[in-house]
Amino acid sequence: MRLLITAGPTREHIDPVRFLSNCSTGKMGFAIAEAAIAAGHEVELIAGPVSIKPPAKANYTPVVSACDMLAAVMKYLPIVDAVIMTAAVADWRPAEQAQDKLKKHTMEPVIKLVPNPDILSEIKKVKTNQLVIGFAAETRNALEYAKDKLERKGLDMIVANDVSLPGAGFAVDTNIVSFVTQKNIEHLPLMSKQEIGCEIIRRLEEMSR
Ligand code: PMT
């Protein structure tokens, strides 16, 4: 299969040196990409700004903002069999981006935000037969919110990720997740992100049969 995997955060610039973002390092998405390559799949890897190296055999597209990520995803969507959206995409961006660094004494202490496009919802509108797996990073009611996102975003599976648990979520080498589909919920124990990557690829292969 050819897979499109997104990873890392997005950066929504306020001016050339300041931005809104989050704590994603790309570790989870890159681990899935490595597992996919090891299993013999081709990988289009799209990632926001991260400081780790992408797997050598992935076709890598670095992006900055959610709008950049949407454009890259739409470019590759027609030629892939499945999408795995691990990226922590910013839901909002500043309404205006200053061309030059804002000066403290002239800056308004309030930043007006506008909503970013929801990439998974945009995929739902135009996809043909691609399988789509999303993630849900939550700090409470992870399963409930994940089920809601599974429905709303038209996903085949969602990986519920309670990022409040020790050893889970952003910036660590391990994670604790549950696989949620229309028919089933499967809880996984604390595992390395590499092991979880292998489990996700295994589920994707089963779904594609
Ligand atoms: O990168 P690491 O440091 O290893 O951290 C891994 C992780 C915590 C980022 C990862 O495991 C994870 O949980 N990723 C999902 C983060 C997230 O943004 O979740 P969400 O619940 O806000 O979004 C739900 C889904 O919609 C996600 O698949 C997301 O990619 C997608 N989304 C979100 C916003 C948006 N505008 N468009 C989207 O498509």
Side-chain angles (χ1 to χ4, degrees):
M1 283 193 279
R2 184 181 266 186
L3 312 183
L4 193 168
I5 299 170
T6 67
T10 65
R11 264 184 201 175
E12 312 300 329
H13 272 275
I14 299 163
D15 70 14
V17 298
R18 301 180 179 98
F19 52 82
L20 305 175
S21 191
N22 58 67
C23 304
S24 174
T25 57
K27 286 182 178 187
M28 188 67 251
F30 283 20
I32 300 170
E34 273 162 23
I37 291 164
H41 303 292
E42 279 182 62
V43 173
E44 301 293 341
L45 179 59
I46 299 170
V50 293
S51 57
I52 57 171
K53 274 197 173 171
K57 287 188 179 161
N59 181 24
Y60 186 52
T61 305
V63 297
V64 177
S65 68
C67 291
D68 298 341
M69 187 171 280
L70 174 65
V73 165
M74 287 302 153
K75 177 178 168 194
Y76 289 107
L77 185 65
I79 60 158
V80 298
D81 305 296
V83 180
I84 306 174
M85 279 287 302
T86 315
V89 184
D91 287 316
W92 301 87
R93 68 179 184 274
E96 283 171 26
Q97 242 186 58
Q99 292 303 309
D100 294 308
K101 184 183 169 193
L102 292 166
K103 305 308 284 178
K104 193 162 58 174
H105 53 274
T106 56
M107 205 175 154
E108 285 285 320
V110 174
I111 299 168
K112 187 175 175 224
L113 301 178
V114 292
N116 267 333
D118 188 286
I119 298 174
L120 281 173
S121 301
E122 296 303 314
I123 291 173
K124 184 182 171 188
K125 288 181 200 162
V126 297
K127 85 182 194 81
T128 50
N129 52 357
Q130 293 90 347
L131 290 166
V132 183
I133 297 178
F135 268 67
E138 307 291 351
T139 53
R140 62 187 179 96
N141 302 338
L143 285 179
E144 193 186 315
Y145 290 133
K147 280 186 212 157
D148 175 61
K149 285 175 184 170
L150 179 80
E151 289 289 335
R152 266 192 301 117
K153 302 192 185 212
L155 307 175
D156 296 285
M157 183 172 102
I158 191 154
V159 180
N161 195 175
D162 184 339
V163 296
S164 70
L165 298 173
F170 296 98
V172 287
D173 292 326
T174 53
N175 211 348
I176 305 168
V177 299
S178 302
F179 295 157
V180 182
T181 63
Q182 289 287 358
K183 290 185 186 157
N184 197 32
I185 298 178
E186 189 185 350
H187 301 289
L188 276 66
L190 178 79
M191 292 165 97
S192 71
K193 286 184 174 172
Q194 276 69 27
E195 288 169 324
I196 291 173
C198 293
E199 293 298 328
I200 291 172
I201 295 303
R202 202 170 305 150
R203 295 310 179 286
L204 186 64
E205 289 169 345
E206 283 166 11
M207 285 192 278
S208 74
R209 277 184 205 126

